[in-house]
């Protein structure tokens, strides 16, 4: 099932599924106890991020070719950092380039996002997918100067500015994605393909990531996991290719759809 979280014309936040001819059908229930399709049609004013995360865990250096392009050693264990809920941006919402803590080195990163649906702890890899609510597209936007040079030896400062985690457009449930490590994943910058890979290139697959993150740690329902980005990031290009006002970034993942966001300066009118 493809589940969208939307704002209706009368200001209500609802979950819907797509019908024929661009129509939307209201879903009853909730993401964690289950949905039931209804025959009620909904007029959608705006598509929202498909989940409101309680926590966002992120995995760095998790594609082999990305590690190679950055000259990094293949990690022996997953590289973990976090983003706050403040970073979430909706489909179509603007990625804001920081001006107060200014950065001129803001980068795109297409990622498969995994949403946890049931609390889990110390999960074995072979059972890890049993706890997945669904999958969506993510953009792990990164201010490379704050991540690498000015962040006090940790990555989070460069990863946690407002709007630095666009999510969407839909949450696709596991029955439609039986193998999350067999999906084509792309980034298009102003229509040009700049990242083009497959989630099969992950160093640690989705099962291993969930198992590792749940070690001695409870993953609550609504936890979002960003699983790493493939090769082609702006930082690794010659010359580097940074996001600029007026750009448009699209993340596309097979079976999920396309997440598109414009780029503006912090505080600019949208």
């Amino acid at each position: 099932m493809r589940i969208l979280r939307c704002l209706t014309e009368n200001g209500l936040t609802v979950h819907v599924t797509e019908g024929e001819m661009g129509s939307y059908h209201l879903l009853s229930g909730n993401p964690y106890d289950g949905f039931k399709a209804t025959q009620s049609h909904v007029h959608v004013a705006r598509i929202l991020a498909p989940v409101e995360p309680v926590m966002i865990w992120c995995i760095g250096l998790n594609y082999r070719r990305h590690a190679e392009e950055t000259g990094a050693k293949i990690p022996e264990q997953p590289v973990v950092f976090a983003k706050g809920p403040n970073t979430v941006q909706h489909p179509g919402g603007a990625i804001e380039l920081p001006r107060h803590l200014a950065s001129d080195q803001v980068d795109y990163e297409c990622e498969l996002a995994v949403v946890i649906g049931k609390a889990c702890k110390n999960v074995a890899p072979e059972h890890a997918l049993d706890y997945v609510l669904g999958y969506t597209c993510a953009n792990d936007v990164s201010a490379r100067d704050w991540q690498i040079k000015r962040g006090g030896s940790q990555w989070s400062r460069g990863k946690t500015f407002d709007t630095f985690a666009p999510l969407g457009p839909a949450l696709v449930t596991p029955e439609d994605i039986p193998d999350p490590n067999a999906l084509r994943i792309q980034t298009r910058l102003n229509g040009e393909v700049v990242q083009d890979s497959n989630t099969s290139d992950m160093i640690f697959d989705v099962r291993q990531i969930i198992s590792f993150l749940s070690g001695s740690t409870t993953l609550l329902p609504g936890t979002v996991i960003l699983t790493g980005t493939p090769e082609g990031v702006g930082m690794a290009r010659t010359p580097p290719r940074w996001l600029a006002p007026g750009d448009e970034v699209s993340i596309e993942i097979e079976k999920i759809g396309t997440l598109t966001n414009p780029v503006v300066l912090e505080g600019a009118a949208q």
Side-chain angles (χ1 to χ4, degrees):
M1 180 185 290
R2 288 177 56 83
I3 300 167
L4 293 96
R5 181 170 158 263
C6 305
L7 189 68
T8 67
E9 292 178 342
N10 58 1
L12 297 177
T13 299
V14 298
H15 290 88
V16 302
T17 188
E18 295 167 302
E20 297 179 354
M21 304 295 291
S23 63
Y24 297 96
H25 294 276
L26 182 67
L27 294 170
S28 64
N30 65 73
Y32 307 110
D33 296 324
F35 283 118
K36 290 185 179 179
T38 74
Q39 296 302 310
S40 298
H41 289 268
V42 177
H43 294 287
V44 170
R46 184 182 183 188
I47 304 295
L48 304 176
V51 64
E52 296 180 280
V54 298
M55 179 68 188
I56 305 173
W57 288 113
C58 308
I59 306 298
L61 293 172
N62 196 36
Y63 280 70
R64 295 185 183 278
R65 294 187 181 91
H66 176 52
E68 292 169 1
E69 75 175 350
T70 60
K73 181 181 177 181
I74 299 294
E76 296 181 3
Q77 292 182 324
V79 176
V80 179
F81 60 96
K83 287 178 178 270
N86 67 291
T87 62
V88 173
Q89 182 56 293
H90 305 298
I95 296 167
E96 296 189 11
L97 305 178
R99 293 295 90 190
H100 186 75
L101 291 184
S103 174
D104 295 312
Q105 298 181 6
V106 177
D107 208 346
Y108 52 82
E109 293 191 9
C110 61
E111 306 211 5
L112 173 68
V114 180
V115 181
I116 297 297
K118 298 184 291 185
C120 59
K121 182 177 180 179
N122 299 328
V123 176
E126 58 267 30
H127 300 301
L129 297 188
D130 296 342
Y131 296 88
V132 173
L133 178 67
Y135 305 94
T136 193
C137 303
N139 189 348
D140 177 20
V141 183
S142 306
R144 299 299 190 189
D145 41 5
W146 285 102
Q147 176 189 355
I148 297 169
K149 299 175 183 178
R150 304 163 66 189
S153 78
Q154 48 76 31
W155 288 3
S156 290
R157 177 64 289 184
K159 299 278 192 172
T160 53
F161 294 115
D162 289 352
T163 74
F164 269 32
L167 296 174
L171 183 72
V172 179
T173 51
E175 60 265 25
D176 291 330
I177 302 180
D179 184 359
N181 284 103
L183 302 172
R184 188 176 185 182
I185 181 169
Q186 290 184 316
T187 299
R188 293 190 298 275
L189 179 57
N190 302 325
E192 176 188 349
V193 176
V194 290
Q195 290 183 280
D196 190 357
S197 186
N198 194 287
T199 56
S200 62
D201 191 46
M202 287 185 190
I203 297 166
F204 304 99
D205 66 21
V206 172
R207 292 173 175 83
Q208 292 170 304
I209 291 169
I210 294 171
S211 178
F212 181 81
L213 290 176
S214 73
S216 301
T217 305
T218 301
L219 302 182
L220 297 171
T223 297
V224 173
I225 303 170
L226 273 55
T227 55
T229 197
E231 78 279 5
V233 296
M235 175 181 66
R237 293 176 176 269
T238 305
R241 188 166 181 178
W242 308 121
L243 296 180
D247 283 346
E248 183 180 80
V249 187
S250 293
I251 310 300
E252 183 172 358
I253 301 179
E254 182 182 358
K255 299 183 179 181
I256 296 175
T258 303
L259 167 68
T260 298
N261 300 90
V263 179
V264 303
L265 288 175
E266 179 184 6
Q270 299 177 32

